[in-house]
Amino acid sequence: MKKWMYNTLIIIFALIFLGSAAALGFYYWESSQEQDRYEALSQLRPTSPLPTTPEQPDQPAVTGPEMVTVTDPKTGAQLEIFKEFEALYGMNSDLIGWLTIPGVAVDLPVVHTPDDPEYYLRRNFDKKRQTRGCLFLDGAADPWKPSDNLTVYGHRMQDGTMFGQLLNYLDFEYLLDNQDVYIAFPEKTAHYTAVACLIVDGADNPIYDDIGQRGDIQHIIDYIYANTEVDPDAELSGDSSLLILSTCHRAYYSARTLLICIPD
């Protein structure tokens, strides 16, 4: 009887081990496949979407990027976008930008589905079911006006992809060494500076509750200053515009890490 129980336990533990190994293997295989896909997409993203000013007055000005008109398949609206964005927009009209953080392994498309804000939570850029999802803009934001404040969500993957490295910004020295954040929107580009990083309760805090609003956000600025260290060179006030990058934190279920950025 004891031998039978012993053998049964061995079989059970073996099956658990094999199942865990298979799940882990699938996770890293899926991660590799998705990383290859995003690297391929990155070859289509804009490389120099902003016009530049010549260093010498007698030099000719450098012209801005070529624009094209596309039709939004959901609304029928005519949109002016960078020609460099045309191929990506043709692949997925939910695209509203490309987020790049140099040196932090973030070089990814950002999508927006206001009628179903978390549609891409577990879908990739090709709209296929996928664990790591795709970076997506908060449903209340308007990327075409744009809104005063923008929040981009992404998963914190164990292999460091997506927003997996944002937790490093909780180290203030790391933040000061990696402050550049770029978003190329289909019709313009923006440079932001990361100025603070903090952990909040995603279920209850004023940033998530009110960040989509326009106008004065002094209570949000006060909350940031009260709960984390802020770049002393940053000028934050109630009429500031913010870009917030949000991902989960391992401290507890509803914990979130927020990287606070301001535009130039």
Side-chain angles (χ1 to χ4, degrees):
M1 182 66 179
K2 290 184 178 180
K3 184 176 182 181
W4 176 85
M5 292 179 60
Y6 175 79
N7 290 336
T8 301
L9 288 174
I10 291 295
I11 293 172
I12 291 174
F13 288 134
L15 290 174
I16 292 174
F17 173 79
L18 292 173
S20 299
L24 186 62
F26 177 79
Y27 174 86
Y28 282 103
W29 174 84
E30 184 183 56
S31 174
S32 176
Q33 294 292 308
E34 199 63 15
Q35 194 66 17
D36 290 345
R37 175 58 174 152
Y38 280 126
E39 287 179 6
L41 290 174
S42 71
Q43 302 305 307
L44 302 174
R45 68 172 170 79
T47 54
S48 55
L50 283 180
T52 56
T53 303
E55 294 183 3
Q56 301 299 326
D58 58 345
Q59 292 179 343
V62 180
T63 59
E66 183 180 354
M67 307 295 287
V68 296
T69 301
V70 297
T71 301
D72 185 335
K74 296 182 290 293
T75 65
Q78 299 293 297
L79 306 173
E80 290 288 323
I81 67 172
F82 291 136
K83 184 173 179 58
E84 287 183 291
F85 252 113
E86 189 175 16
L88 284 169
Y89 189 82
M91 296 167 64
N92 186 344
S93 61
D94 292 332
L95 175 76
I96 56 87
W98 193 282
L99 179 67
T100 302
I101 308 179
V104 188
V106 174
D107 192 24
L108 298 164
V110 181
V111 292
H112 186 230
T113 50
D115 294 333
D116 186 4
E118 295 188 353
Y119 178 82
Y120 285 93
L121 184 67
R122 296 296 180 187
R123 289 182 175 89
N124 63 13
F125 185 75
D126 300 313
K127 301 185 180 182
K128 296 178 180 178
R129 288 284 180 179
Q130 213 275 340
T131 304
R132 66 196 54 239
C134 190
L135 303 187
F136 61 93
L137 183 67
D138 185 83
D142 185 343
W144 295 98
K145 288 186 179 179
S147 299
D148 292 341
N149 303 295
L150 303 173
T151 303
V152 176
Y153 301 92
H155 288 296
R156 176 185 61 83
M157 303 307 294
Q158 295 293 340
D159 60 3
T161 56
M162 305 307 286
F163 278 172
Q165 297 193 43
L166 284 195
L167 271 66
N168 294 333
Y169 279 92
L170 293 168
D171 180 335
F172 193 63
E173 292 302 318
Y174 181 93
L175 182 146
L176 295 179
D177 289 338
N178 296 275
Q179 291 188 286
D180 290 323
V181 177
Y182 299 89
I183 293 189
F185 293 103
E187 86 295 358
K188 67 184 182 67
T189 60
H191 172 259
Y192 288 83
T193 300
V195 298
C197 189
L198 67 162
I199 301 171
V200 303
D201 186 342
D204 181 26
N205 74 82
I207 297 181
Y208 276 121
D209 291 343
D210 301 331
I211 197 57
Q213 71 179 21
R214 294 177 180 273
D216 184 72
I217 56 168
Q218 187 59 53
H219 63 297
I220 293 178
I221 301 302
D222 293 342
Y223 180 90
I224 292 171
Y225 274 105
N227 287 276
T228 192
E229 191 170 7
V230 178
D231 180 355
D233 294 329
E235 297 182 3
L236 296 179
S237 64
D239 58 359
S240 293
S241 293
L242 302 179
L243 167 67
I244 298 179
L245 307 184
S246 171
T247 193
C248 54
H249 190 279
R250 52 181 170 262
Y252 51 93
Y253 180 75
S254 59
R256 299 292 183 268
T257 300
L258 303 184
L259 182 63
I260 311 297
C261 311
I262 57 175
D264 289 345

